[in-house]
Structures are given as structure tokens and as C-alpha cells.
Amino acid sequence: GKHAEYYGRQGSCEVTSRALCDRGEEEVDFVSMGIQFRSDAGPEQLAKDLLLSPLIYIRLLGILCSIIVFGCVADKLTDSGRCEYNGSTACDFAIAVGVIGFLFCLAFLVKDVMLVVIDYSNSLAVKKVIIIVDIVVNGLWAFMWFVCFAYTADQLRKTSGIGGAPTSIRNCARSGVAFSFFCILIWIAIVVVNIILLIRVIKGSDRDSQGGTPASGYASFPEGTPDQPYQGEGGESGGGGGQQYSPPEY
């Protein structure tokens, strides 16, 4: 009985997951979870598609700029317990926007990889929802970066004695403002690329919904053509010049 149960379980598992069967574990079925990986591309093609995806490079650039913003502000501009941006809350605001923007980039970077690796041909509606969420969230955060840039730039302008501050503090204060502006451009680029991707997905779904069976290269047989009797040499049935065919008598 134990042997039969063991071999029955062995037959239900794939050859590549023998170790899982030996431990009594079941292999994860991604298909039943609604996850289907692309079958039209091998590992090399998937790697090439990932390298050619512009969103991945923009996200990585956004991660870098976010780290510079909250790193500079948190490292040098709050050492004395007082924000070097005129003693205001601009430091806390810049750190918060930078950290949350960094986390957003990491989360949506996973989404960008999924859009390349996973097959969404049978669930384009899900793909559209994911892209729309990306557009809304990153559009909102582009606005937050604009507020951060305007706030820190204004407080830096009002700060007295910034010219006499140590070089590291001056550089960090200006870097926080400059890279906040760069983050505005990066997040706008993310939104624009996602809008282009959404338009392509919508066009693809419309084409799939309107498409039927492909037409063959041959002309279809005309419908509604009545059966006509055999025509003789005259070319007309029952006419004056033609002779109708009559069966021979036996």
C-alpha cells in the first residue's frame, strides 16, 4: 500500500521535480494560479526583451536619483538637529518623497519584468489595469517631486548664511534641489512610456476582438446560385440554339 501510494505520487509529478515528490511536496502549479510564462520566447529572447525595455532603465535611474535626494538630505542637512533648508520641514518632506519614490520604483520594476516574462495574451484586461495603476501612481508622484523641488528650492533661497556653510552642506543642499528636479523629468518619462504601452495594449485587444477566422487565398463559392441543367453547345438551357440533354433509353 505504501509503495503503491508512493509510485502513484511519483507518476503525478514531473520528472524535474523528483526531489519534491520524495519529500512529499507538491510542485507549484503556476497555471492554476493564472500565471503563464511566455512560450514563444526562450531565455535568450526574454533577456533581450528585458534589455530593450526602456521602462527598466528609467526605473533604475529613478532609484538612483531618489537615493541621492534622501541620502544627501538625511546625511548632511539634518546632522545638527536643524534642517539646513531654513530650519523648515523641507528636509523631512524631501526624505519622505525620496524614500517612497524609491520603494515605488522597486515595486514597479518587478511589474516591468512581469510584463516581459509573463504571457498576458489571454488576459489583456489585467494588463491594462496594471498599466493604468502604474500611470496613476507615478503621475501622482511626479507631482510630489515637483512640490518637493519647489519647496526645497524656495527654502534654500531663504536660507541665510548658506554661502558660509561647509562645502559638504552646500553641495548636499544644492544636490537635493537639483536631483528633485531630475526626478520630475524621470517620473514624467515613466508616465509617457506607460501611456504609449497602454495605447498599444488597447489597439491589440481591439484587433483581437474584431478579428475572425483568417480569410483564405481563394475566392469563396457564390451563394444562392440555382442549379442549372446541363447546357448544350448553344450555351443556353432551353433556348433556341441549344439542345437539352436527354438520358438514353434502354
Side-chain angles (χ1 to χ4, degrees):
K2 292 183 178 179
H3 292 288
E5 181 182 357
Y6 173 79
Y7 286 109
R9 189 173 67 246
Q10 288 285 91
S12 64
C13 296
E14 297 293 337
V15 178
T16 57
S17 59
R18 293 293 183 188
L20 294 175
C21 292
D22 293 339
R23 296 196 302 267
E25 300 178 8
E26 295 294 334
E27 187 179 7
V28 178
D29 188 3
F30 290 101
V31 176
S32 63
M33 297 169 58
I35 302 175
Q36 296 183 2
F37 295 98
R38 287 175 55 189
S39 59
D40 60 337
E44 295 181 357
Q45 183 62 38
L46 291 177
K48 182 179 179 181
D49 292 342
L50 288 172
L51 292 175
L52 294 178
S53 176
L55 270 177
I56 293 180
Y57 294 102
I58 300 175
R59 304 274 192 204
L60 294 176
L61 191 59
I63 290 173
L64 177 62
C65 290
S66 298
I67 292 175
I68 292 175
V69 171
F70 73 76
C72 288
V73 176
D75 183 41
K76 295 294 183 181
L77 302 186
T78 57
D79 278 348
S80 60
R82 176 181 180 275
C83 179
E84 296 296 335
Y85 287 126
N86 199 30
S88 63
T89 58
C91 291
D92 296 334
F93 187 79
I95 292 173
V97 173
V99 171
I100 298 175
F102 168 77
L103 296 177
F104 277 157
C105 275
L106 286 180
F108 285 108
L109 184 62
V110 176
K111 162 256 175 187
D112 296 333
V113 175
M114 290 176 59
L115 288 184
V116 174
V117 176
I118 297 178
D119 183 13
Y120 287 93
S121 59
N122 295 326
S123 57
L124 291 178
V126 176
K127 188 174 183 179
K128 285 191 288 186
V129 170
I130 293 174
I131 298 175
I132 290 172
V133 171
D134 195 343
I135 292 172
V136 172
V137 172
N138 287 285
L140 173 63
W141 221 247
F143 174 74
M144 295 300 294
W145 277 118
F146 172 76
V147 175
C148 179
F149 164 72
Y151 190 19
T152 53
D154 181 64
Q155 294 302 318
L156 180 62
R157 179 183 60 84
K158 294 178 180 179
T159 303
S160 59
I162 190 65
T167 304
S168 60
I169 293 180
R170 292 200 311 268
N171 291 339
C172 285
R174 292 165 182 167
S175 297
V177 175
F179 280 92
S180 295
F181 176 76
F182 294 151
C183 285
I184 299 172
L185 303 180
I186 291 171
W187 261 256
I188 290 176
I190 290 174
V191 172
V192 171
V193 175
N194 272 296
I195 290 175
I196 295 174
L197 182 60
L198 179 62
I199 292 174
R200 291 179 180 176
V201 172
I202 293 175
K203 288 183 178 179
S205 61
D206 291 343
R207 185 165 54 249
D208 291 341
S209 62
Q210 294 175 1
T213 56
S216 64
Y218 302 97
S220 59
F221 190 82
E223 298 181 357
T225 304
D227 293 333
Q228 296 180 355
Y230 176 79
Q231 296 180 356
E233 296 179 357
E236 297 179 1
S237 62
Q243 297 179 354
Q244 285 188 337
Y245 170 76
S246 57
E249 296 180 357
Y250 295 97

